[in-house]
Amino acid sequence: MRTDNSPHIIAAARSRAAATRERAVAALRRMDATGRSVSFDAVARAAGVSRSWLYTQPDLRAEINRLRERHDKAASAPSP
């Protein structure tokens, strides 16, 4: 009978998912800290993830939209 490797496969998948999320969050933080324009495409490229994956993550999607709106408002505000 074969050995059940499913716990190892599940652990590896969870590890990859956590690493993917960490890369996306780190990219968002860097972009926010440096004042770079935030978009789904820019975050996906900076983090090495797909745009479609970003859209499926409600918290990351909300943060991207929030930062994009904040950046748009700052860019359109009149300078003194």
Side-chain angles (χ1 to χ4, degrees):
M1 190 163 130
R2 293 180 139 200
T3 304
D4 182 13
N5 288 330
S6 58
H8 302 292
I9 293 169
I10 292 169
R14 285 186 180 144
S15 178
R16 281 192 310 274
T20 300
R21 173 167 285 284
E22 287 173 15
R23 287 195 320 270
V25 169
L28 271 170
R29 287 183 182 151
R30 279 192 312 272
M31 294 173 84
D32 185 33
T34 60
R36 285 185 52 203
S37 180
V38 176
S39 68
F40 284 92
D41 186 53
V43 174
R45 279 186 279 120
V49 300
S50 70
R51 286 186 325 240
S52 61
W53 179 82
L54 286 172
Y55 282 110
T56 66
Q57 306 302 306
D59 58 331
L60 295 176
R61 185 177 184 167
E63 183 66 6
I64 290 168
N65 287 327
R66 185 185 71 77
L67 291 173
R68 185 167 42 185
E69 287 176 18
R70 188 174 79 187
H71 180 71
D72 289 347
K73 285 180 185 177
S76 65
S79 57

